[in-house]
Amino acid sequence: MDIEELRTFVEVADAGGVSPAARRLGVSKSIVSRRLARLEEELGAQLLARTTRGAALTEAGAIFREHAARACSEIDTARDTILPAGDLRGRLRVAAPLSFGPTHFASVFAEMARRHPQLHVHTAYSDRFVDIVAEGFDCAIRVGYLQDSNLIARRVGPLYGKLVASPDYLRAHGAPETPDDLADHEALMQGTEAWQFLDGDRVITVHPRGRFKADNGTALIAAAVAGLGIGWLPDGLTNEYVASGALVPVMTRYPPPPAGIYVIRPPGPHPSLKVRVLTELLIACFDEAPHLADVAG
């Protein structure tokens, strides 16, 4: 039984259709369809029921999917153990944030590809919350404060940020002095997040409110510069604006606790060799260039 047929079936099952699976695999839809047809012919069973919305697993397909995924994982593990030291092959799919991923992480992904000529590195940049299991990613780079989940996280570097606002906003509304003062201000947020601040060893949690929200840090910077409110933003996005005077740090007596930069992977006892090597490269990048901790927000 061909391993590529098994991989293709698992991708289609997880992606919910031939088209998204083809995009993940980097091949045409016709190739995906041919592989599925050969696999079903070899097994003598229908694994997928085609629908107008994509493809759904049959009862046989649902049972076989678990075995196929396990077989693919075992093959990957076996391949990793016999590869020459430092030699990576196959494909690495990474989800990375759009706000600063292309400017701060892209060079690391490029270096990964340069060091491993047989490795296909596919990166998807988005500020939405990516379901790496359902969407077939090997790992994701996430920044900030992690939410509880069953995924495995490895911290690769610190992330620093601060509250900022434009001079025009501060002239019109004044500057907050304490976390309690934020209740009287417009907050620029990604969603309904909580903001945390340090008062000595004590952590103060505030649930800000505001009318402008965006899932992209660059958009929140634009709103802050336009005088729409106060934003909690990473230093990497605000440094140049603070230096030019377009934004002003506020409430500096209560700094936010340092957040982090993380590699997130699906649950399992051990990361794949590809994810492990990428993680080590990211850690080395931040160890060798500590200033990235300040600019990788």
Side-chain angles (χ1 to χ4, degrees):
M1 193 171 293
D2 188 278
I3 185 65
E4 289 305 321
E5 293 174 6
L6 292 180
R7 290 188 195 282
T8 299
F9 165 64
V10 172
E11 290 285 4
V12 174
D14 292 349
V18 169
S19 295
R23 287 193 295 271
R24 290 186 187 183
L25 292 167
V27 299
S28 67
K29 291 189 292 183
S30 61
I31 290 177
V32 171
S33 297
R34 285 199 297 271
R35 289 176 181 173
L36 291 175
R38 285 197 301 266
L39 181 60
E40 289 180 327
E41 184 178 356
E42 291 167 4
L43 291 171
Q46 183 180 359
L47 302 176
L48 293 158
R50 280 65 170 180
T51 68
T52 55
R53 295 184 177 181
L57 289 170
T58 63
E59 183 177 357
I63 296 171
F64 187 71
R65 188 260 170 220
E66 300 305 315
H67 294 284
R70 194 177 308 122
C72 291
S73 178
E74 290 292 335
I75 289 293
D76 287 340
T77 301
R79 180 181 290 135
D80 287 348
T81 61
I82 64 173
L83 282 175
D87 188 11
L88 297 180
R89 298 175 183 270
R91 183 189 53 157
L92 174 66
R93 293 190 76 233
V94 185
L98 176 62
S99 293
F100 52 86
T103 54
H104 295 92
F105 296 135
S107 60
V108 179
F109 304 143
E111 177 64 15
M112 181 90 172
R114 188 193 68 80
R115 293 186 184 186
H116 305 282
Q118 302 302 314
L119 181 66
H120 295 252
V121 180
H122 297 180
T123 309
Y125 293 97
S126 173
D127 283 329
R128 70 182 178 84
F129 189 85
V130 175
D131 186 335
I132 62 174
V133 175
E135 298 182 44
F137 286 96
D138 295 290
C139 65
I141 311 298
R142 290 189 181 153
V143 298
Y145 304 104
L146 293 185
Q147 300 177 352
D148 292 335
S149 77
N150 64 343
L151 301 177
I152 308 299
R154 174 70 186 276
R155 190 175 185 271
V156 298
L159 175 72
Y160 299 104
K162 62 172 70 74
L163 290 185
V164 293
S166 72
D168 287 344
Y169 178 87
L170 296 177
R171 278 193 291 269
H173 303 280
E177 299 292 336
T178 69
D180 288 341
D181 293 343
L182 290 173
D184 299 323
H185 288 270
E186 283 284 330
L188 308 173
M189 300 180 293
Q190 291 193 359
T192 57
E193 69 268 20
W195 288 353
Q196 292 185 330
F197 304 96
L198 294 176
D199 182 9
D201 294 331
R202 187 167 66 102
V203 176
I204 302 172
T205 300
V206 174
H207 295 276
R209 292 176 295 179
R211 65 187 181 88
F212 189 94
K213 297 181 180 182
D215 65 355
N216 178 272
T218 304
L220 293 176
I221 285 282
V225 171
L228 295 182
I230 298 174
W232 186 110
L233 291 160
D235 290 347
L237 296 180
T238 62
N239 281 339
E240 64 176 289
Y241 296 92
V242 172
S244 69
L247 292 176
V248 178
V250 298
M251 216 174 75
T252 54
R253 288 178 50 207
Y254 299 88
I261 304 168
Y262 300 88
V263 174
I264 310 295
R265 66 174 178 87
H270 304 290
S272 69
L273 181 59
K274 292 174 290 189
V275 172
R276 191 162 68 246
V277 170
L278 175 62
T279 301
E280 292 168 354
L281 188 59
L282 285 163
I283 291 173
C285 174
F286 286 105
D287 284 344
E288 294 171 5
H291 67 279
L292 286 181
D294 296 326
V295 299

